[in-house]
Amino acid sequence: MTADAALTGLADGWYALSLLYARIEAQIERALQASHDLSVREYSLLVVLGRQHDGVGGHLRMNQVADAVVLSQSATTRLVSRLEDRGLLSRYLCPDDRRGIYTDVTPAGTKLLDAARPTHDAALAGALGQAAADPELAPLVAAVEALNAAAHHPA
């Protein structure tokens, strides 16, 4: 195999992965918007912030949140502000460093996240099921399923 053929194969794999991601995200977006008035990004932010805990390293700074939801820091700040305006998040000063600001999910945010999780999971499963029927995407779906199995049943 020539270097050009290898690069073309790599590019084809990347485009297939991009296609799978776009299809899944679009299906989840439609489901979350229709049932919970949430975007995929808003849902992801609630999930990330909902995993925080008290204790060392339990709360994330805004730059860590931005990395976790794959947005710029300014876009993350705008997203947090929107959800804060809806009463789903609250912000407070870090007790150890007055320059740091933490963000927590409010009880209303937790309630919405709990209600939206089954919708998200069903949309994800549906999107993966549809993608598995596409010969170009089926190997990627199998890889996602294998990662999930490995995470839940480590060797």
Side-chain angles (χ1 to χ4, degrees), residues 108-122:
T110 299
K111 183 177 177 181
L112 180 59
L113 180 59
D114 290 344
R117 191 176 314 273
T119 303
H120 171 275
D121 293 351

Side-chain angles (χ1 to χ4, degrees), residues 41-50 65 69 79-80 83 89:
R41 296 285 186 205
E42 291 167 337
Y43 177 84
S44 297
L45 180 63
L46 288 172
V47 168
V48 167
L49 293 176
V65 173
V69 295
L79 185 59
V80 166
L83 293 180
L89 299 177

Side-chain angles (χ1 to χ4, degrees), residues 97-114:
D97 179 358
R98 293 289 183 188
R99 296 170 297 166
I101 297 175
Y102 287 152
T103 305
D104 271 340
V105 179
T106 65
T110 299
K111 183 177 177 181
L112 180 59
L113 180 59
D114 290 344

Side-chain angles (χ1 to χ4, degrees), residues 41-42 44-45 62-63 65-80 82:
R41 296 285 186 205
E42 291 167 337
S44 297
L45 180 63
M62 288 301 289
N63 63 322
V65 173
D67 288 346
V69 295
V70 193
L71 289 173
S72 68
Q73 196 160 346
S74 62
T76 301
T77 299
R78 288 190 301 274
L79 185 59
V80 166
R82 279 198 315 270

Side-chain angles (χ1 to χ4, degrees), residues 21-34 38-40 43 119-125 127:
Y21 176 82
R23 285 185 183 179
I24 290 171
E25 184 177 51
Q27 191 158 335
I28 293 171
E29 180 80 28
R30 285 189 301 272
L32 288 174
Q33 283 289 348
L38 273 178
S39 71
V40 169
Y43 177 84
T119 303
H120 171 275
D121 293 351
L124 174 59

